[in-house]
């Protein structure tokens, strides 16, 4: 990544987000009993999908093209998933790991957008896109219902993390604390949604007349 703009801390946060998302992508392919090549592809597309869209929109160099470690991390994660039994990842682990990557990536995306001069609201949206797009692409390619089509608190968690990061940065709070607090807040909301099945209310057309035969 561009070291003249982003600090080494955000570089590490970026790699951590890539690794977590890559793991969720590889595990989805593993659960479908796909080949190693497919695991690698899913790890890569899930790990870099949101960040690639963000960089194209804000006019930044696409991060994983200029950073030699990103593709290596995705490959290593895919190999790790290939050599581990899927029973290790049963239960809610996949969703929880995805939630951590979601929050971390939302913070990173909004921070990078701010550093490139993107205004407040678009910077928050860049955080949301960074955090959610990779998982959406993963689900579509795997033929699974996208998280966007369910009322779970998913995009909301990314929006919370990105918003706290943006406004904390504008208030000149120490960035380390802003990044940590925003990531924890977004992850906590997502974890609570997973644990207690929290969801936003679904659309209900008020005043609709019952069908008449």
């Amino acid at each position: 990544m561009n070291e003249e703009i982003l600090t080494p801390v955000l570089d590490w946060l970026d790699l951590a987000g890539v690794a977590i998302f890559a793991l969720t992508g590889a595990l989805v392919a593993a659960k479908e009993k796909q080949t190693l090549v497919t695991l690698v592809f899913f790890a890569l597309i899930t790990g870099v999908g949101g960040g690639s869209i963000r960089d194209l929109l804000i006019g930044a160099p696409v991060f994983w093209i200029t950073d030699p470690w990103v593709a290596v991390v995705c490959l290593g994660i895919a190999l790790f998933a290939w050599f581990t039994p899927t029973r290790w990842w049963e239960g809610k682990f996949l969703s929880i790991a995805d939630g951590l990557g979601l929050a971390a990536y939302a913070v990173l995306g909004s921070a990078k957008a701010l550093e490139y001069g993107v205004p407040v609201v678009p910077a928050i949206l860049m955080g949301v896109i960074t955090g959610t797009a990779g998982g959406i692409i993963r689900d579509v390619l795997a033929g699974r219902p996208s998280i966007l089509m369910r009322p779970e608190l998913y995009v909301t968690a990314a929006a919370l993390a990105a918003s706290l990061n943006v406004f904390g940065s504008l208030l000149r709070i120490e960035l380390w604390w802003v990044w940590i607090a925003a990531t924890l807040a977004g992850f906590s909301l997502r974890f609570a949604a997973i644990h207690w099945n929290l969801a936003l209310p679904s659309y209900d057309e008020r005043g609709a007349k019952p069908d008449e035969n």
Side-chain angles (χ1 to χ4, degrees):
M1 301 180 70
N2 192 332
E3 295 181 358
E4 295 180 357
I5 295 178
L6 292 179
T7 69
V9 175
L10 283 183
D11 287 342
W12 283 107
L13 182 63
D14 195 22
L15 284 177
V18 167
I20 293 170
F21 270 130
L23 178 60
T24 67
L27 291 178
V28 166
K31 287 178 180 294
E32 296 294 328
K33 301 187 183 303
Q34 297 297 318
T35 66
L36 177 59
V37 172
T38 304
L39 262 71
V40 172
F41 177 79
F42 266 74
L44 181 64
I45 201 68
T46 309
V48 307
S52 298
I53 296 173
R54 172 205 63 213
D55 288 347
L56 291 172
L57 289 175
I58 69 176
V62 178
F63 74 107
W64 66 280
I65 300 298
T66 57
D67 187 337
W69 287 105
V70 175
V72 173
V73 167
C74 291
L75 175 60
I77 290 293
L79 289 172
F80 174 73
W82 177 259
F83 288 109
T84 57
T86 56
R87 67 176 181 274
W88 286 14
W89 317 109
E90 297 296 335
K92 295 181 179 179
F93 174 82
L94 193 61
S95 296
I96 293 173
D98 185 78
L100 181 58
L102 171 77
Y105 240 25
V107 170
L108 171 74
S110 58
K112 185 170 184 178
L114 286 176
E115 293 293 342
Y116 273 84
V118 177
V120 171
V121 175
I124 294 173
L125 295 178
M126 289 302 99
V128 173
I129 288 173
T130 306
T132 61
I136 293 170
I137 295 170
R138 175 200 64 211
D139 291 341
V140 170
L141 291 176
R144 306 192 328 166
S146 172
I147 192 69
L148 285 181
M149 303 308 294
R150 302 196 297 271
E152 296 179 34
L153 296 180
Y154 187 79
V155 175
T156 307
L160 174 64
S163 298
L164 289 177
N165 178 65
V166 168
F167 289 116
S169 300
L170 293 178
L171 292 173
R172 305 295 183 181
I173 300 173
E174 182 69 33
L175 289 180
W176 283 70
W177 296 111
V178 172
W179 297 333
I180 293 171
T183 300
L184 289 177
F187 175 64
S188 297
L189 179 59
R190 180 61 187 144
F191 181 82
I194 295 169
H195 187 71
W196 287 296
N197 296 317
L198 302 180
L200 295 174
S202 301
Y203 174 74
D204 182 14
E205 188 172 351
R206 303 296 179 181
K209 296 180 179 180
D211 293 336
E212 297 181 357
N213 294 327

